[in-house]
Amino acid sequence: MKHLSERDKKHLWHPLTQHKLHAEMLAIVKAKGAVLYDEAGHEYIDGIASWYTAMYGHCNEVILERVYAQMQQLDQVVFSGFTHEPAISLSEELIKILPSNQQKLFFSDNGSTATEIGIKMALQYHFNKEHDRKVMLAFEDGFHGDTFGAMSVSGLSVYNGPFEDFFIAVERIPVPTKDNIETILTTLNNRLKQNDIAGFIYEPLVQGAAAMKMHDAQGLDRILALLQQHDVITIADEVMTGFGKTGRFFASDYLENKPDVICLSKALTAGLLPMAITTCTQKVYDAFYSDDIAKGLFHGHTYTANPLACTAALAALQLLQSTEIQENIAEVIASHKTFDAAIKDHPKVATTRQCGVIYALDLDVKMERYGNLRDRLFKHFMDDGVFLRPLGNTIYILAPYTITKVQLEKIYASIKAVLEIV
């Protein structure tokens, strides 16, 4: 029988892949804890938790057992007209740790649809109130997903090029710094006089796809305060940052001004099953609550609030709040700080930054985001048994909370080796 990697070529089309340039896919046959295993038996430490999802380790027994038990009881049911215990329990438990202004949960399938729904909430909120507001505001270099509304508010043209003629109206502002915040606020004050901005979507504190670009909470807080004074619906895209990665349950926990809408996915179900949630305040929900059926939010997915995914999310929430995981998070944060102190002054390191368990460094080398040198970096890490995905000249770590000290040290050692050979 042919190897999986050979069979893969016949029919499969992979994401973010130009197949003429990258024909070979590595077949992974097993995952456990922080380790991936390929079909040849090689091991790779998952230094990015498989796109920031498997934060409690792959095939976590606590989650598997809970989902297996749920499979015997209820696997799938339509969520329009029906409800079920896993969804209700998840709503009750999630509300306990969300910012206190969040009151309602709307389920979907993935991060892109979570933000799509958030955008729809903002636009229809004003439509239902008969406000002529059709413009969305977003940060430069933001990324919010691949569906059309999500692409519209995303600023990374490498993803959006062929589709830009079809986008909704979006205007962008820079992420806040101590140097530009006053200019941003002055510009926004003037722009808001047109009274046509419906919502503002942002990645709080860390812009993931922009190579872990970080900004401080103080500047963002001032932007949110100004926009909320003008009834602009603020949408925190916490798909990447949510569930402990910044050192708190949510990046929004660092802010005094809480968002009107929060978008969640990825670590929500610990990487076991696809699911997303868009949460909102009572104020947003009330704009849709009407005797007029057309004012409802007519958005629905076949697998909305799938009972198995809800059960996985419930188990993940339990783990997140456990003493063991919270101690693990603190240890990873401390380890990154020690590593940073050792390499930040290296001549090949341009800058470093950290937010919670998210650590990133920029090499002092010019290179394309998906160019040849980046591919050589990727190969170096994989040859070392470490799975990292550099974004251009940025190398970042966002490993499972359950990663061991030995595994973390192997990641650090592989990065240090890069600094000597790049």
Side-chain angles (χ1 to χ4, degrees):
M1 182 179 288
K2 290 182 179 179
H3 290 303
L4 294 176
S5 54
E6 286 298 313
R7 292 165 57 198
D8 172 276
K9 295 178 184 178
K10 188 171 183 180
H11 300 297
L12 295 181
W13 190 345
H14 289 264
L16 304 181
T17 302
Q18 173 49 267
H19 280 266
K20 190 170 184 179
L21 300 176
H22 299 280
E24 298 295 328
M25 299 294 131
L26 180 65
I28 300 299
V29 297
K30 178 184 174 182
K32 187 67 178 176
V35 180
L36 306 173
Y37 302 83
D38 71 14
E39 62 181 336
H42 300 129
E43 301 180 9
Y44 309 91
I45 299 169
D46 191 352
I48 63 167
S50 291
W51 267 339
Y52 338 133
T53 58
M55 298 309 298
Y56 312 98
H58 292 276
C59 298
N60 185 292
E61 295 294 337
V62 172
I63 299 171
L64 292 179
E65 289 174 7
R66 294 274 292 276
V67 172
Y68 178 76
Q70 180 60 44
M71 288 171 69
Q72 318 304 309
Q73 183 72 26
L74 177 65
D75 54 355
Q76 164 65 4
V77 68
V78 172
F79 206 59
S80 179
F82 291 139
T83 192
H84 51 77
E85 197 278 336
I88 295 168
S89 291
L90 178 56
S91 71
E92 292 168 344
E93 293 305 312
L94 187 54
I95 284 291
K96 290 177 184 177
I97 67 168
L98 281 167
S100 60
N101 67 338
Q102 300 298 297
Q103 292 297 317
K104 298 292 182 179
L105 280 64
F106 196 100
F107 287 88
S108 63
D109 295 351
N110 56 65
S112 183
T113 56
T115 60
E116 196 85 14
I117 291 163
I119 294 163
K120 279 186 165 184
M121 285 179 174
L123 293 171
Q124 191 175 341
Y125 170 89
H126 290 288
F127 180 87
N128 285 357
K129 288 180 168 291
E130 300 183 354
H131 300 160
D132 187 19
R133 298 197 186 192
K134 299 174 182 177
V135 177
M136 290 296 299
L137 191 68
F139 276 145
E140 295 172 354
D141 297 327
F143 179 74
H144 302 284
D146 297 329
T147 51
F148 268 85
M151 275 196 300
S152 295
V153 294
S154 298
L156 295 173
S157 60
V158 66
Y159 296 97
N160 301 347
F163 312 108
E164 290 179 351
D165 290 345
F166 308 99
F167 286 172
I168 60 177
V170 178
E171 296 180 15
R172 306 189 195 286
I173 61 174
V175 294
T177 67
K178 292 177 181 178
D179 295 329
N180 70 10
I181 183 59
E182 299 302 335
T183 301
I184 292 172
L185 294 174
T186 298
T187 303
L188 275 179
N189 254 317
N190 292 329
R191 181 62 185 81
L192 287 164
K193 294 174 183 177
Q194 296 182 39
N195 206 35
D196 61 350
I197 297 177
F200 169 53
I201 187 167
Y202 59 97
E203 296 161 275
L205 306 189
V206 187
Q207 292 182 296
M212 301 300 167
K213 186 177 179 181
M214 298 181 187
H215 54 276
D216 64 55
Q218 185 177 10
L220 179 56
D221 244 334
R222 295 181 67 188
I223 292 171
L224 296 179
L226 175 60
L227 294 174
Q228 288 172 345
Q229 288 172 14
H230 291 264
D231 203 23
V232 173
I233 299 301
T234 53
I235 307 164
D237 177 355
E238 295 236 24
V239 169
M240 191 276 287
T241 53
F243 302 103
K245 299 189 191 79
T246 63
R248 298 187 184 180
F249 290 148
F250 303 99
S252 296
D253 292 337
Y254 289 91
L255 302 165
E256 291 184 14
N257 296 289
K258 306 304 182 185
D260 300 297
V261 173
I262 301 178
C263 308
L264 303 169
S265 189
K266 291 193 182 291
L268 169 65
T269 59
L272 185 65
L273 292 164
M275 189 171 74
I277 295 175
T278 306
T279 73
C280 70
T281 62
Q282 191 69 40
K283 179 187 85 168
V284 171
Y285 177 81
D286 286 346
F288 295 77
Y289 191 76
S290 171
D291 292 325
D292 182 356
I293 191 171
K295 287 190 174 181
L297 180 58
F298 275 76
H299 187 113
H301 294 208
T302 303
Y303 287 96
T304 294
N306 170 261
L308 305 182
C310 288
T311 301
L314 271 166
L317 280 183
Q318 179 183 340
L319 288 170
L320 174 64
Q321 297 173 81
S322 69
T323 300
E324 180 182 0
I325 291 298
Q326 287 300 309
E327 288 178 348
N328 287 357
I329 289 173
E331 288 177 2
V332 172
I333 291 171
S335 293
H336 285 346
K337 289 180 179 178
T338 301
F339 174 63
D340 182 68
I343 60 98
K344 65 181 180 180
D345 295 324
H346 192 285
K348 291 293 179 66
V349 175
T351 58
T352 66
R353 54 199 172 276
Q354 180 179 357
C355 184
V357 302
I358 306 167
Y359 181 82
L361 66 90
D362 296 331
L363 296 174
D364 192 14
V365 177
K366 290 185 178 181
M367 55 193 293
E368 296 177 8
R369 183 181 179 90
Y370 293 114
N372 181 56
L373 183 53
R374 179 267 175 199
D375 291 343
R376 287 164 58 194
L377 286 177
F378 178 77
K379 183 178 185 303
H380 162 85
F381 292 128
M382 293 297 282
D383 288 346
D384 274 356
V386 172
F387 175 43
L388 297 176
R389 282 178 60 91
L391 292 170
N393 68 337
T394 300
I395 300 170
Y396 70 91
I397 307 169
L398 212 175
Y401 303 142
T402 54
I403 193 167
T404 67
K405 289 183 178 180
V406 171
Q407 290 167 339
L408 257 183
E409 287 299 329
K410 186 172 181 179
I411 293 175
Y412 297 152
S414 189
I415 294 174
K416 286 178 180 177
V418 159
L419 301 181
E420 302 308 319
I421 63 176
V422 68

